[in-house]
Amino acid sequence: MPEWIAAPEDAGARLDAFLAGKMEKTRSSVQKLIEEENVRLNGAPVAKNARLREGDRVEAAEPPPEVLDVKPQNIPLDIVYEDQDLLVVNKPKGMVVHPAAGNPDGTLVNALLFHCGDSLSGINGVIRPGIVHRIDKDTSGLLIVAKNDRAHQSLAEQIAVHSFTRIYNAVVYGIVKEEEGTVSAPIGRHPTDRKRMAVIRDPRRRARQAITHYRVLERYPVGRVCGNAFTLTECHLETGRTH
């Protein structure tokens, strides 16, 4: 079991933050290790918010990896960039990112397991290896996939502080009058249909603020063919939310 001794400069630091740096993991993954009693402080289980003192002995054991139920599948991938740490995949419309109820296979993860073998980050667990962020089934676009935990942690931190930009082009029904604007609303599970998301303003229900900045690229008035008007927009995501 790997162990570390807290140095003078570590005194007062939170245990989870200390271990995240030593193990090159996210704090949430370290907290999970602590909650499952895979971490010892001076030989005893400890709370995740414990603070260190100089000379404290910290031990951490990672449990054996879960058996992966997801099978590699030889599904063609449109890879636009790849190196030893990550790859960028152009996900087509209609492909689900990771297995879930109703989509047990044929996903991007199945294809990645065939392409990469064991070379994927394990931070997100056995169902979503290497997946740092996701886009919906019916959305096409570029996805960054981490090949190791160090790359995954770095990319997750960049997403958290908005140090890189996620941009979508979206065609919406109707004519958007403003040239640009911001859509900001709390998004949560629909109160009666759990498969849908909705704007939730009831403070008693769980919701997370979703913020998207948009600008109009082109307007298409009502045509003779389809009878509907549309607006082509460019959307900058400040917060990525299921919606």
Side-chain angles (χ1 to χ4, degrees):
M1 179 184 296
E3 69 174 53
W4 301 267
I5 302 299
E9 59 269 23
D10 298 318
R14 277 182 55 130
L15 175 61
D16 55 355
F18 172 83
L19 272 180
K22 295 296 185 183
M23 301 178 73
E24 294 188 342
K25 289 183 170 293
T26 62
R27 285 180 65 170
S28 60
S29 62
V30 168
Q31 288 170 1
K32 185 177 180 182
L33 287 177
I34 296 172
E35 290 169 354
E36 295 174 349
E37 297 191 354
N38 290 306
V39 174
R40 295 287 187 273
L41 180 63
N42 299 321
V46 65
K48 61 187 178 184
N49 61 349
R51 295 192 177 272
L52 297 174
R53 297 174 296 179
E54 180 183 352
D56 277 346
R57 179 168 54 90
V58 180
E59 301 171 279
E62 295 192 67
E66 300 175 61
V67 177
L68 185 59
D69 293 329
V70 185
K71 301 292 190 295
Q73 291 179 297
N74 187 6
I75 301 171
L77 288 173
D78 181 6
I79 298 173
V80 299
Y81 176 81
E82 183 173 10
D83 61 25
Q84 63 183 3
D85 295 311
L86 58 85
L87 64 151
V88 180
V89 180
N90 185 20
K91 187 194 83 69
K93 175 184 176 182
M95 174 180 272
V96 175
V97 172
H98 55 79
N103 296 103
D105 55 22
T107 71
L108 179 65
V109 165
N110 295 105
L112 288 170
L113 288 172
F114 184 90
H115 177 80
C116 299
D118 295 331
S119 180
L120 287 172
S121 163
I123 284 178
N124 262 346
V126 297
I127 300 299
R128 294 178 287 180
I131 301 301
V132 181
H133 64 120
R134 59 175 294 278
I135 54 179
D136 293 337
K137 174 182 177 181
D138 292 325
T139 302
S140 61
L142 301 179
L143 280 174
I144 303 175
V145 178
K147 286 182 159 185
N148 53 64
D149 288 359
R150 180 173 175 273
H152 195 132
Q153 181 176 0
S154 177
L155 290 166
E157 289 171 352
Q158 291 177 62
I159 291 175
V161 300
H162 311 299
S163 65
F164 65 76
T165 303
R166 288 170 290 172
I167 301 173
Y168 289 81
N169 285 344
V171 177
V172 300
Y173 281 102
I175 297 296
V176 178
K177 295 180 180 180
E178 299 82 3
E179 292 300 323
E180 58 185 32
T182 297
V183 178
S184 179
I187 302 294
R189 291 287 175 189
H190 193 282
T192 58
D193 186 349
R194 301 298 293 170
K195 294 182 179 180
R196 296 176 58 195
M197 308 300 287
V199 174
I200 304 295
R201 302 196 184 277
D202 185 342
R204 296 170 298 177
R205 294 185 176 275
R206 184 178 178 183
R208 301 175 69 192
Q209 199 69 16
I211 304 172
T212 301
H213 309 284
Y214 69 89
R215 70 184 183 95
V216 170
L217 299 179
E218 192 73 47
R219 295 180 179 90
Y220 302 96
V222 176
R224 289 179 296 178
V225 176
C226 65
N228 291 312
F230 300 95
T231 304
L232 174 62
T233 63
E234 180 181 272
C235 301
H236 292 243
L237 272 64
E238 184 172 325
T239 59
R241 300 281 184 252
T242 300
H243 60 281

mmCIF file of all heavy atoms in Angstrom, residues 134-140 166-172 183-190 193-200 207-214 233 235-243:
data_model
loop_
_atom_site.group_PDB
_atom_site.id
_atom_site.type_symbol
_atom_site.label_atom_id
_atom_site.label_comp_id
_atom_site.label_asym_id
_atom_site.label_seq_id
_atom_site.Cartn_x
_atom_site.Cartn_y
_atom_site.Cartn_z
ATOM 1 N N ARG A 134 -19.442 14.880 -22.548
ATOM 2 C CA ARG A 134 -20.281 14.136 -23.479
ATOM 3 C C ARG A 134 -21.186 15.084 -24.247
ATOM 4 O O ARG A 134 -21.373 16.234 -23.855
ATOM 5 C CB ARG A 134 -21.137 13.103 -22.737
ATOM 6 C CG ARG A 134 -22.044 13.715 -21.683
ATOM 7 C CD ARG A 134 -22.974 12.690 -21.059
ATOM 8 N NE ARG A 134 -23.929 12.190 -22.029
ATOM 9 C CZ ARG A 134 -25.059 12.818 -22.359
ATOM 10 N NH1 ARG A 134 -25.378 13.983 -21.807
ATOM 11 N NH2 ARG A 134 -25.882 12.303 -23.238
ATOM 12 N N ILE A 135 -21.713 14.590 -25.353
ATOM 13 C CA ILE A 135 -22.752 15.314 -26.086
ATOM 14 C C ILE A 135 -23.889 14.336 -26.368
ATOM 15 O O ILE A 135 -23.697 13.117 -26.347
ATOM 16 C CB ILE A 135 -22.224 15.949 -27.393
ATOM 17 C CG1 ILE A 135 -21.528 14.915 -28.279
ATOM 18 C CG2 ILE A 135 -21.297 17.106 -27.086
ATOM 19 C CD1 ILE A 135 -21.004 15.491 -29.587
ATOM 20 N N ASP A 136 -25.053 14.877 -26.618
ATOM 21 C CA ASP A 136 -26.248 14.052 -26.756
ATOM 22 C C ASP A 136 -26.179 13.138 -27.980
ATOM 23 O O ASP A 136 -25.442 13.398 -28.939
ATOM 24 C CB ASP A 136 -27.495 14.932 -26.850
ATOM 25 C CG ASP A 136 -27.776 15.680 -25.556
ATOM 26 O OD1 ASP A 136 -27.319 15.215 -24.499
ATOM 27 O OD2 ASP A 136 -28.455 16.725 -25.614
ATOM 28 N N LYS A 137 -26.988 12.104 -27.949
ATOM 29 C CA LYS A 137 -27.040 11.123 -29.037
ATOM 30 C C LYS A 137 -27.250 11.786 -30.391
ATOM 31 O O LYS A 137 -26.580 11.445 -31.371
ATOM 32 C CB LYS A 137 -28.167 10.118 -28.759
ATOM 33 C CG LYS A 137 -28.420 9.128 -29.886
ATOM 34 C CD LYS A 137 -29.578 8.198 -29.555
ATOM 35 C CE LYS A 137 -29.870 7.248 -30.717
ATOM 36 N NZ LYS A 137 -31.012 6.340 -30.419
ATOM 37 N N ASP A 138 -28.175 12.712 -30.469
ATOM 38 C CA ASP A 138 -28.517 13.312 -31.758
ATOM 39 C C ASP A 138 -27.703 14.549 -32.085
ATOM 40 O O ASP A 138 -28.050 15.310 -32.990
ATOM 41 C CB ASP A 138 -30.013 13.630 -31.800
ATOM 42 C CG ASP A 138 -30.865 12.370 -31.810
ATOM 43 O OD1 ASP A 138 -30.430 11.377 -32.426
ATOM 44 O OD2 ASP A 138 -31.949 12.370 -31.217
ATOM 45 N N THR A 139 -26.613 14.774 -31.338
ATOM 46 C CA THR A 139 -25.715 15.893 -31.601
ATOM 47 C C THR A 139 -24.404 15.356 -32.147
ATOM 48 O O THR A 139 -23.869 14.381 -31.628
ATOM 49 C CB THR A 139 -25.434 16.697 -30.312
ATOM 50 O OG1 THR A 139 -26.664 17.164 -29.780
ATOM 51 C CG2 THR A 139 -24.525 17.875 -30.589
ATOM 52 N N SER A 140 -23.907 15.974 -33.206
ATOM 53 C CA SER A 140 -22.597 15.604 -33.730
ATOM 54 C C SER A 140 -21.576 16.626 -33.244
ATOM 55 O O SER A 140 -21.916 17.767 -32.931
ATOM 56 C CB SER A 140 -22.621 15.561 -35.266
ATOM 57 O OG SER A 140 -22.946 16.854 -35.779
ATOM 58 N N ARG A 166 -16.317 25.656 -25.527
ATOM 59 C CA ARG A 166 -17.148 24.678 -26.233
ATOM 60 C C ARG A 166 -18.192 25.438 -27.042
ATOM 61 O O ARG A 166 -18.964 26.221 -26.490
ATOM 62 C CB ARG A 166 -17.815 23.733 -25.238
ATOM 63 C CG ARG A 166 -16.855 22.753 -24.593
ATOM 64 C CD ARG A 166 -17.483 22.005 -23.450
ATOM 65 N NE ARG A 166 -17.709 22.876 -22.298
ATOM 66 C CZ ARG A 166 -18.392 22.503 -21.228
ATOM 67 N NH1 ARG A 166 -18.970 21.325 -21.186
ATOM 68 N NH2 ARG A 166 -18.528 23.327 -20.213
ATOM 69 N N ILE A 167 -18.181 25.225 -28.349
ATOM 70 C CA ILE A 167 -19.059 25.964 -29.264
ATOM 71 C C ILE A 167 -19.908 24.983 -30.069
ATOM 72 O O ILE A 167 -19.394 23.994 -30.592
ATOM 73 C CB ILE A 167 -18.236 26.846 -30.229
ATOM 74 C CG1 ILE A 167 -17.372 27.842 -29.438
ATOM 75 C CG2 ILE A 167 -19.157 27.582 -31.194
ATOM 76 C CD1 ILE A 167 -16.426 28.627 -30.316
ATOM 77 N N TYR A 168 -21.200 25.257 -30.142
ATOM 78 C CA TYR A 168 -22.125 24.466 -30.944
ATOM 79 C C TYR A 168 -22.776 25.365 -31.981
ATOM 80 O O TYR A 168 -23.022 26.551 -31.717
ATOM 81 C CB TYR A 168 -23.248 23.885 -30.077
ATOM 82 C CG TYR A 168 -22.851 22.783 -29.141
ATOM 83 C CD1 TYR A 168 -22.246 23.070 -27.918
ATOM 84 C CD2 TYR A 168 -23.100 21.445 -29.460
ATOM 85 C CE1 TYR A 168 -21.897 22.062 -27.039
ATOM 86 C CE2 TYR A 168 -22.757 20.424 -28.581
ATOM 87 C CZ TYR A 168 -22.154 20.741 -27.378
ATOM 88 O OH TYR A 168 -21.801 19.742 -26.515
ATOM 89 N N ASN A 169 -23.084 24.807 -33.131
ATOM 90 C CA ASN A 169 -23.985 25.455 -34.078
ATOM 91 C C ASN A 169 -25.341 24.769 -33.945
ATOM 92 O O ASN A 169 -25.422 23.531 -33.945
ATOM 93 C CB ASN A 169 -23.480 25.322 -35.514
ATOM 94 C CG ASN A 169 -22.318 26.252 -35.793
ATOM 95 O OD1 ASN A 169 -22.074 27.189 -35.047
ATOM 96 N ND2 ASN A 169 -21.597 25.993 -36.864
ATOM 97 N N ALA A 170 -26.386 25.557 -33.801
ATOM 98 C CA ALA A 170 -27.722 24.995 -33.602
ATOM 99 C C ALA A 170 -28.728 25.716 -34.480
ATOM 100 O O ALA A 170 -28.709 26.949 -34.580
ATOM 101 C CB ALA A 170 -28.139 25.123 -32.135
ATOM 102 N N VAL A 171 -29.606 24.945 -35.118
ATOM 103 C CA VAL A 171 -30.718 25.509 -35.886
ATOM 104 C C VAL A 171 -31.952 25.452 -34.994
ATOM 105 O O VAL A 171 -32.309 24.388 -34.484
ATOM 106 C CB VAL A 171 -30.960 24.718 -37.187
ATOM 107 C CG1 VAL A 171 -32.162 25.287 -37.931
ATOM 108 C CG2 VAL A 171 -29.728 24.763 -38.071
ATOM 109 N N VAL A 172 -32.593 26.599 -34.777
ATOM 110 C CA VAL A 172 -33.759 26.658 -33.906
ATOM 111 C C VAL A 172 -34.985 27.087 -34.705
ATOM 112 O O VAL A 172 -34.879 27.786 -35.716
ATOM 113 C CB VAL A 172 -33.526 27.629 -32.720
ATOM 114 C CG1 VAL A 172 -32.342 27.166 -31.895
ATOM 115 C CG2 VAL A 172 -33.296 29.049 -33.201
ATOM 116 N N VAL A 183 -28.982 32.637 -22.486
ATOM 117 C CA VAL A 183 -30.066 31.851 -21.904
ATOM 118 C C VAL A 183 -29.554 31.308 -20.580
ATOM 119 O O VAL A 183 -28.558 30.579 -20.538
ATOM 120 C CB VAL A 183 -30.486 30.696 -22.825
ATOM 121 C CG1 VAL A 183 -31.581 29.865 -22.164
ATOM 122 C CG2 VAL A 183 -30.964 31.231 -24.170
ATOM 123 N N SER A 184 -30.206 31.683 -19.489
ATOM 124 C CA SER A 184 -29.780 31.254 -18.159
ATOM 125 C C SER A 184 -30.998 30.785 -17.376
ATOM 126 O O SER A 184 -31.942 31.552 -17.173
ATOM 127 C CB SER A 184 -29.090 32.406 -17.417
ATOM 128 O OG SER A 184 -28.701 32.007 -16.115
ATOM 129 N N ALA A 185 -30.992 29.518 -16.947
ATOM 130 C CA ALA A 185 -32.134 28.964 -16.226
ATOM 131 C C ALA A 185 -31.692 27.725 -15.461
ATOM 132 O O ALA A 185 -30.752 27.037 -15.867
ATOM 133 C CB ALA A 185 -33.265 28.608 -17.192
ATOM 134 N N PRO A 186 -32.375 27.407 -14.356
ATOM 135 C CA PRO A 186 -32.052 26.186 -13.608
ATOM 136 C C PRO A 186 -32.663 24.959 -14.276
ATOM 137 O O PRO A 186 -33.871 24.914 -14.527
ATOM 138 C CB PRO A 186 -32.674 26.444 -12.231
ATOM 139 C CG PRO A 186 -33.790 27.409 -12.493
ATOM 140 C CD PRO A 186 -33.376 28.246 -13.676
ATOM 141 N N ILE A 187 -31.833 23.963 -14.565
ATOM 142 C CA ILE A 187 -32.276 22.761 -15.260
ATOM 143 C C ILE A 187 -32.276 21.579 -14.294
ATOM 144 O O ILE A 187 -31.313 21.355 -13.558
ATOM 145 C CB ILE A 187 -31.364 22.444 -16.462
ATOM 146 C CG1 ILE A 187 -31.334 23.630 -17.443
ATOM 147 C CG2 ILE A 187 -31.811 21.167 -17.161
ATOM 148 C CD1 ILE A 187 -32.640 23.913 -18.121
ATOM 149 N N GLY A 188 -33.358 20.807 -14.302
ATOM 150 C CA GLY A 188 -33.445 19.611 -13.469
ATOM 151 C C GLY A 188 -34.370 18.590 -14.101
ATOM 152 O O GLY A 188 -34.887 18.798 -15.209
ATOM 153 N N ARG A 189 -34.569 17.485 -13.419
ATOM 154 C CA ARG A 189 -35.483 16.448 -13.920
ATOM 155 C C ARG A 189 -36.918 16.971 -13.956
ATOM 156 O O ARG A 189 -37.371 17.657 -13.040
ATOM 157 C CB ARG A 189 -35.426 15.212 -13.031
ATOM 158 C CG ARG A 189 -34.121 14.444 -13.120
ATOM 159 C CD ARG A 189 -34.015 13.690 -14.424
ATOM 160 N NE ARG A 189 -32.714 13.044 -14.560
ATOM 161 C CZ ARG A 189 -32.296 12.456 -15.671
ATOM 162 N NH1 ARG A 189 -33.069 12.436 -16.748
ATOM 163 N NH2 ARG A 189 -31.110 11.899 -15.726
ATOM 164 N N HIS A 190 -37.617 16.638 -15.028
ATOM 165 C CA HIS A 190 -39.022 17.010 -15.153
ATOM 166 C C HIS A 190 -39.791 16.399 -13.980
ATOM 167 O O HIS A 190 -39.579 15.232 -13.626
ATOM 168 C CB HIS A 190 -39.574 16.496 -16.481
ATOM 169 C CG HIS A 190 -40.897 17.064 -16.855
ATOM 170 N ND1 HIS A 190 -42.073 16.613 -16.282
ATOM 171 C CD2 HIS A 190 -41.244 18.041 -17.723
ATOM 172 C CE1 HIS A 190 -43.085 17.278 -16.798
ATOM 173 N NE2 HIS A 190 -42.612 18.157 -17.678
ATOM 174 N N ASP A 193 -42.117 13.484 -15.713
ATOM 175 C CA ASP A 193 -41.493 12.613 -16.708
ATOM 176 C C ASP A 193 -39.994 12.576 -16.430
ATOM 177 O O ASP A 193 -39.258 13.461 -16.838
ATOM 178 C CB ASP A 193 -41.770 13.130 -18.123
ATOM 179 C CG ASP A 193 -41.256 12.174 -19.194
ATOM 180 O OD1 ASP A 193 -40.515 11.233 -18.852
ATOM 181 O OD2 ASP A 193 -41.596 12.376 -20.379
ATOM 182 N N ARG A 194 -39.510 11.521 -15.739
ATOM 183 C CA ARG A 194 -38.124 11.460 -15.289
ATOM 184 C C ARG A 194 -37.127 11.293 -16.426
ATOM 185 O O ARG A 194 -35.930 11.444 -16.227
ATOM 186 C CB ARG A 194 -37.962 10.299 -14.300
ATOM 187 C CG ARG A 194 -38.842 10.384 -13.076
ATOM 188 C CD ARG A 194 -38.525 11.631 -12.262
ATOM 189 N NE ARG A 194 -37.203 11.572 -11.661
ATOM 190 C CZ ARG A 194 -36.611 12.601 -11.068
ATOM 191 N NH1 ARG A 194 -37.215 13.772 -11.015
ATOM 192 N NH2 ARG A 194 -35.405 12.476 -10.545
ATOM 193 N N LYS A 195 -37.610 10.993 -17.635
ATOM 194 C CA LYS A 195 -36.702 10.869 -18.771
ATOM 195 C C LYS A 195 -36.418 12.210 -19.428
ATOM 196 O O LYS A 195 -35.569 12.296 -20.314
ATOM 197 C CB LYS A 195 -37.290 9.898 -19.806
ATOM 198 C CG LYS A 195 -37.387 8.455 -19.306
ATOM 199 C CD LYS A 195 -37.929 7.550 -20.390
ATOM 200 C CE LYS A 195 -38.007 6.104 -19.901
ATOM 201 N NZ LYS A 195 -38.531 5.204 -20.970
ATOM 202 N N ARG A 196 -37.126 13.240 -19.006
ATOM 203 C CA ARG A 196 -36.960 14.565 -19.612
ATOM 204 C C ARG A 196 -36.351 15.541 -18.610
ATOM 205 O O ARG A 196 -36.428 15.347 -17.400
ATOM 206 C CB ARG A 196 -38.313 15.096 -20.092
ATOM 207 C CG ARG A 196 -38.959 14.276 -21.192
ATOM 208 C CD ARG A 196 -40.340 14.827 -21.517
ATOM 209 N NE ARG A 196 -40.286 16.226 -21.915
ATOM 210 C CZ ARG A 196 -41.349 17.032 -21.970
ATOM 211 N NH1 ARG A 196 -42.542 16.560 -21.632
ATOM 212 N NH2 ARG A 196 -41.222 18.273 -22.347
ATOM 213 N N MET A 197 -35.751 16.598 -19.146
ATOM 214 C CA MET A 197 -35.246 17.693 -18.317
ATOM 215 C C MET A 197 -36.151 18.897 -18.534
ATOM 216 O O MET A 197 -36.810 19.023 -19.563
ATOM 217 C CB MET A 197 -33.797 18.032 -18.683
ATOM 218 C CG MET A 197 -32.849 16.845 -18.682
ATOM 219 S SD MET A 197 -32.726 16.017 -17.089
ATOM 220 C CE MET A 197 -31.758 17.227 -16.171
ATOM 221 N N ALA A 198 -36.173 19.796 -17.567
ATOM 222 C CA ALA A 198 -37.047 20.963 -17.659
ATOM 223 C C ALA A 198 -36.463 22.099 -16.822
ATOM 224 O O ALA A 198 -35.575 21.892 -15.987
ATOM 225 C CB ALA A 198 -38.454 20.610 -17.159
ATOM 226 N N VAL A 199 -36.960 23.304 -17.075
ATOM 227 C CA VAL A 199 -36.603 24.442 -16.218
ATOM 228 C C VAL A 199 -37.337 24.279 -14.889
ATOM 229 O O VAL A 199 -38.565 24.174 -14.866
ATOM 230 C CB VAL A 199 -36.981 25.775 -16.892
ATOM 231 C CG1 VAL A 199 -36.754 26.948 -15.933
ATOM 232 C CG2 VAL A 199 -36.164 25.975 -18.167
ATOM 233 N N ILE A 200 -36.583 24.208 -13.802
ATOM 234 C CA ILE A 200 -37.146 23.964 -12.472
ATOM 235 C C ILE A 200 -36.897 25.193 -11.598
ATOM 236 O O ILE A 200 -35.763 25.483 -11.218
ATOM 237 C CB ILE A 200 -36.514 22.724 -11.812
ATOM 238 C CG1 ILE A 200 -36.674 21.492 -12.713
ATOM 239 C CG2 ILE A 200 -37.107 22.497 -10.431
ATOM 240 C CD1 ILE A 200 -38.106 21.062 -12.923
ATOM 241 N N ALA A 207 -31.976 21.368 -8.975
ATOM 242 C CA ALA A 207 -31.709 21.894 -10.317
ATOM 243 C C ALA A 207 -30.343 22.568 -10.312
ATOM 244 O O ALA A 207 -29.852 22.998 -9.269
ATOM 245 C CB ALA A 207 -32.790 22.890 -10.737
ATOM 246 N N ARG A 208 -29.744 22.658 -11.486
ATOM 247 C CA ARG A 208 -28.438 23.311 -11.630
ATOM 248 C C ARG A 208 -28.551 24.389 -12.702
ATOM 249 O O ARG A 208 -29.172 24.179 -13.750
ATOM 250 C CB ARG A 208 -27.362 22.297 -12.004
ATOM 251 C CG ARG A 208 -27.203 21.173 -10.999
ATOM 252 C CD ARG A 208 -26.214 20.135 -11.480
ATOM 253 N NE ARG A 208 -24.849 20.650 -11.486
ATOM 254 C CZ ARG A 208 -23.822 20.029 -12.071
ATOM 255 N NH1 ARG A 208 -24.036 18.897 -12.735
ATOM 256 N NH2 ARG A 208 -22.612 20.533 -12.019
ATOM 257 N N GLN A 209 -27.926 25.523 -12.439
ATOM 258 C CA GLN A 209 -28.011 26.636 -13.381
ATOM 259 C C GLN A 209 -27.322 26.279 -14.694
ATOM 260 O O GLN A 209 -26.200 25.765 -14.708
ATOM 261 C CB GLN A 209 -27.356 27.887 -12.779
ATOM 262 C CG GLN A 209 -27.777 29.183 -13.460
ATOM 263 C CD GLN A 209 -29.243 29.532 -13.191
ATOM 264 O OE1 GLN A 209 -29.857 28.974 -12.280
ATOM 265 N NE2 GLN A 209 -29.786 30.439 -13.966
ATOM 266 N N ALA A 210 -27.998 26.515 -15.788
ATOM 267 C CA ALA A 210 -27.454 26.272 -17.121
ATOM 268 C C ALA A 210 -27.347 27.610 -17.850
ATOM 269 O O ALA A 210 -28.330 28.356 -17.933
ATOM 270 C CB ALA A 210 -28.353 25.314 -17.902
ATOM 271 N N ILE A 211 -26.158 27.911 -18.357
ATOM 272 C CA ILE A 211 -25.915 29.208 -19.001
ATOM 273 C C ILE A 211 -25.315 28.984 -20.378
ATOM 274 O O ILE A 211 -24.276 28.318 -20.514
ATOM 275 C CB ILE A 211 -24.969 30.081 -18.154
ATOM 276 C CG1 ILE A 211 -25.526 30.261 -16.738
ATOM 277 C CG2 ILE A 211 -24.763 31.443 -18.825
ATOM 278 C CD1 ILE A 211 -24.568 30.954 -15.797
ATOM 279 N N THR A 212 -25.970 29.515 -21.397
ATOM 280 C CA THR A 212 -25.494 29.429 -22.775
ATOM 281 C C THR A 212 -25.561 30.813 -23.419
ATOM 282 O O THR A 212 -26.590 31.483 -23.345
ATOM 283 C CB THR A 212 -26.338 28.441 -23.606
ATOM 284 O OG1 THR A 212 -26.278 27.142 -23.008
ATOM 285 C CG2 THR A 212 -25.834 28.362 -25.039
ATOM 286 N N HIS A 213 -24.464 31.242 -24.024
ATOM 287 C CA HIS A 213 -24.419 32.510 -24.747
ATOM 288 C C HIS A 213 -24.558 32.208 -26.241
ATOM 289 O O HIS A 213 -23.931 31.282 -26.749
ATOM 290 C CB HIS A 213 -23.098 33.235 -24.474
ATOM 291 C CG HIS A 213 -22.777 33.373 -23.012
ATOM 292 N ND1 HIS A 213 -23.400 34.287 -22.201
ATOM 293 C CD2 HIS A 213 -21.916 32.685 -22.213
ATOM 294 C CE1 HIS A 213 -22.929 34.175 -20.968
ATOM 295 N NE2 HIS A 213 -22.033 33.213 -20.951
ATOM 296 N N TYR A 214 -25.373 32.990 -26.937
ATOM 297 C CA TYR A 214 -25.598 32.704 -28.357
ATOM 298 C C TYR A 214 -25.467 33.972 -29.192
ATOM 299 O O TYR A 214 -25.589 35.096 -28.694
ATOM 300 C CB TYR A 214 -26.992 32.095 -28.568
ATOM 301 C CG TYR A 214 -28.130 33.074 -28.333
ATOM 302 C CD1 TYR A 214 -28.611 33.878 -29.380
ATOM 303 C CD2 TYR A 214 -28.713 33.221 -27.084
ATOM 304 C CE1 TYR A 214 -29.631 34.792 -29.181
ATOM 305 C CE2 TYR A 214 -29.736 34.129 -26.862
ATOM 306 C CZ TYR A 214 -30.186 34.914 -27.918
ATOM 307 O OH TYR A 214 -31.188 35.829 -27.701
ATOM 308 N N THR A 233 -27.809 29.525 -35.180
ATOM 309 C CA THR A 233 -27.127 30.205 -34.084
ATOM 310 C C THR A 233 -25.790 29.544 -33.762
ATOM 311 O O THR A 233 -25.569 28.371 -34.066
ATOM 312 C CB THR A 233 -27.978 30.209 -32.805
ATOM 313 O OG1 THR A 233 -28.170 28.851 -32.377
ATOM 314 C CG2 THR A 233 -29.330 30.856 -33.044
ATOM 315 N N CYS A 235 -23.618 28.810 -30.408
ATOM 316 C CA CYS A 235 -23.824 28.772 -28.953
ATOM 317 C C CYS A 235 -22.518 28.487 -28.223
ATOM 318 O O CYS A 235 -21.830 27.511 -28.525
ATOM 319 C CB CYS A 235 -24.839 27.688 -28.597
ATOM 320 S SG CYS A 235 -26.461 27.912 -29.380
ATOM 321 N N HIS A 236 -22.192 29.354 -27.268
ATOM 322 C CA HIS A 236 -21.021 29.166 -26.413
ATOM 323 C C HIS A 236 -21.507 28.667 -25.051
ATOM 324 O O HIS A 236 -22.254 29.373 -24.369
ATOM 325 C CB HIS A 236 -20.255 30.478 -26.251
ATOM 326 C CG HIS A 236 -19.590 30.943 -27.508
ATOM 327 N ND1 HIS A 236 -18.231 31.073 -27.629
ATOM 328 C CD2 HIS A 236 -20.098 31.299 -28.719
ATOM 329 C CE1 HIS A 236 -17.939 31.499 -28.843
ATOM 330 N NE2 HIS A 236 -19.059 31.645 -29.522
ATOM 331 N N LEU A 237 -21.067 27.474 -24.662
ATOM 332 C CA LEU A 237 -21.508 26.908 -23.392
ATOM 333 C C LEU A 237 -20.652 27.442 -22.243
ATOM 334 O O LEU A 237 -19.425 27.309 -22.261
ATOM 335 C CB LEU A 237 -21.396 25.380 -23.408
ATOM 336 C CG LEU A 237 -22.615 24.627 -23.946
ATOM 337 C CD1 LEU A 237 -22.857 24.953 -25.407
ATOM 338 C CD2 LEU A 237 -22.410 23.137 -23.763
ATOM 339 N N GLU A 238 -21.319 28.065 -21.285
ATOM 340 C CA GLU A 238 -20.623 28.423 -20.039
ATOM 341 C C GLU A 238 -20.731 27.282 -19.047
ATOM 342 O O GLU A 238 -19.792 26.996 -18.302
ATOM 343 C CB GLU A 238 -21.209 29.703 -19.446
ATOM 344 C CG GLU A 238 -20.473 30.185 -18.200
ATOM 345 C CD GLU A 238 -20.939 31.541 -17.733
ATOM 346 O OE1 GLU A 238 -21.271 32.398 -18.584
ATOM 347 O OE2 GLU A 238 -20.973 31.753 -16.507
ATOM 348 N N THR A 239 -21.880 26.602 -19.043
ATOM 349 C CA THR A 239 -22.077 25.413 -18.230
ATOM 350 C C THR A 239 -22.692 24.333 -19.104
ATOM 351 O O THR A 239 -23.701 24.567 -19.751
ATOM 352 C CB THR A 239 -23.026 25.682 -17.042
ATOM 353 O OG1 THR A 239 -24.280 26.126 -17.566
ATOM 354 C CG2 THR A 239 -22.478 26.739 -16.117
ATOM 355 N N GLY A 240 -22.089 23.156 -19.138
ATOM 356 C CA GLY A 240 -22.691 22.056 -19.862
ATOM 357 C C GLY A 240 -23.677 21.326 -18.973
ATOM 358 O O GLY A 240 -23.330 20.902 -17.878
ATOM 359 N N ARG A 241 -24.905 21.216 -19.393
ATOM 360 C CA ARG A 241 -25.939 20.523 -18.602
ATOM 361 C C ARG A 241 -26.742 19.610 -19.513
ATOM 362 O O ARG A 241 -26.945 19.898 -20.701
ATOM 363 C CB ARG A 241 -26.901 21.542 -17.967
ATOM 364 C CG ARG A 241 -26.242 22.538 -17.032
ATOM 365 C CD ARG A 241 -25.963 21.921 -15.673
ATOM 366 N NE ARG A 241 -25.421 22.923 -14.766
ATOM 367 C CZ ARG A 241 -24.173 22.974 -14.359
ATOM 368 N NH1 ARG A 241 -23.299 22.076 -14.796
ATOM 369 N NH2 ARG A 241 -23.767 23.908 -13.523
ATOM 370 N N THR A 242 -27.221 18.519 -18.938
ATOM 371 C CA THR A 242 -28.193 17.694 -19.653
ATOM 372 C C THR A 242 -29.465 18.507 -19.824
ATOM 373 O O THR A 242 -29.949 19.111 -18.864
ATOM 374 C CB THR A 242 -28.504 16.425 -18.849
ATOM 375 O OG1 THR A 242 -27.295 15.696 -18.662
ATOM 376 C CG2 THR A 242 -29.519 15.560 -19.573
ATOM 377 N N HIS A 243 -29.988 18.573 -21.027
ATOM 378 C CA HIS A 243 -31.162 19.403 -21.245
ATOM 379 C C HIS A 243 -31.968 18.873 -22.428
ATOM 380 O O HIS A 243 -31.521 17.995 -23.132
ATOM 381 C CB HIS A 243 -30.772 20.859 -21.497
ATOM 382 C CG HIS A 243 -29.903 21.025 -22.708
ATOM 383 N ND1 HIS A 243 -28.562 20.752 -22.684
ATOM 384 C CD2 HIS A 243 -30.181 21.423 -23.970
ATOM 385 C CE1 HIS A 243 -28.056 20.995 -23.886
ATOM 386 N NE2 HIS A 243 -28.998 21.379 -24.693
#
